[in-house]
């Protein structure tokens, strides 16, 4: 075990042998609001034209982020547009990872009760969603700050 309180498995110290594949970019024009009325900023960099940091910046090396600011504590959904061109890696093989920065999570204050979740709906059929799967991350898995959310399907044959 390693870490400040010996709480982490030693395997986390191994070098990364595969950085994975980028599934989709967050550039302008790739995403749209599906339901609700969140503020959607595509191509967010966290820097202004003078090179001054203005907010959250990428931790992955990708130049642009997708910034979503909910308008209320309600169901708000976004969707990747033009799947055929905007989805760069279509075969995910049952594994998906998502870097998410959460700011002002309801209930995160001392004595508060956390609320909110993040879910990803996926399907290999864009027109009917007949073989869809929903991957959800609840309040026990998401916290304020940076989160790297990972889902690994045990039986990848389920996707076919």
């Amino acid at each position: 075990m390693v870490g400040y309180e010996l709480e982490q498995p030693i395997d986390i110290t191994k070098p990364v042998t595969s950085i994975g594949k980028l599934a989709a970019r967050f550039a302008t024009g790739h995403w749209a609001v599906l339901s609700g009325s969140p503020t959607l900023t595509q191509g967010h960099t966290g820097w202004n034209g003078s090179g001054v940091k203005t907010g959250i910046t990428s931790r992955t090396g990708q130049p642009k982020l997708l910034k979503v600011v909910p308008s209320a504590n309600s169901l708000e959904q976004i969707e990747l547009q033009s799947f055929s061109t905007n989805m760069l890696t279509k075969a995910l093989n049952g594994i998906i990872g998502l870097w998410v920065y959460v700011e002002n999570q309801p209930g995160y204050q001392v004595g508060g009760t956390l609320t909110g979740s993040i879910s990803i709906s996926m399907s290999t059929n864009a027109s009917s969603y007949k073989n869809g799967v929903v991957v959800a991350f609840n309040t026990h898995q998401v916290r304020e700050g940076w989160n790297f959310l990972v889902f690994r399907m045990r039986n990848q044959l389920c996707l076919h």
Side-chain angles (χ1 to χ4, degrees):
M1 301 298 278
V2 295
Y4 179 71
E5 295 180 349
L6 299 177
E7 74 281 7
Q8 298 293 325
I10 192 83
D11 289 349
I12 67 166
T13 62
K14 291 181 180 178
V16 175
T17 57
S18 173
I19 59 170
K21 297 177 181 174
L22 181 63
R25 290 192 178 97
F26 299 116
T28 301
H30 289 197
W31 298 84
V33 173
L34 185 62
S35 69
S37 55
T39 302
L40 190 62
T41 306
Q42 301 176 67
H44 174 78
T45 64
W47 303 92
N48 68 15
S50 300
V52 176
K53 186 176 176 182
T54 59
I56 302 306
T57 58
S58 177
R59 293 197 52 186
T60 63
Q62 294 301 317
K64 296 179 180 175
L65 304 170
L66 178 65
K67 183 177 180 181
V68 180
V69 179
S71 63
N73 293 333
S74 61
L75 177 64
E76 296 179 312
Q77 299 175 311
I78 59 172
E79 178 179 63
L80 180 66
Q81 298 295 292
S82 303
F83 180 85
S84 61
T85 56
N86 291 340
M87 187 70 172
L88 303 176
T89 304
K90 294 173 179 65
L92 298 175
N93 297 324
I95 303 170
I96 186 168
L98 180 66
W99 272 102
V100 178
Y101 185 85
V102 176
E103 190 172 62
N104 298 325
Q105 183 177 10
Y108 195 72
Q109 71 278 7
V110 175
T113 302
L114 288 174
T115 60
S117 63
I118 296 173
S119 63
I120 304 166
S121 302
M122 300 174 283
S123 173
T124 58
N125 188 327
S127 62
S128 71
Y129 195 70
K130 67 181 178 182
N131 67 340
V133 63
V134 175
V135 177
F137 302 96
N138 64 33
T139 56
H140 299 291
Q141 299 158 316
V142 179
R143 59 171 176 74
E144 280 193 3
W146 281 105
N147 298 264
F148 187 54
L149 308 173
V150 178
F151 173 78
R152 180 182 302 267
M153 184 173 279
R154 291 184 183 150
N155 183 357
Q156 296 175 15
L157 297 177
C158 294
L159 293 177
H160 302 287

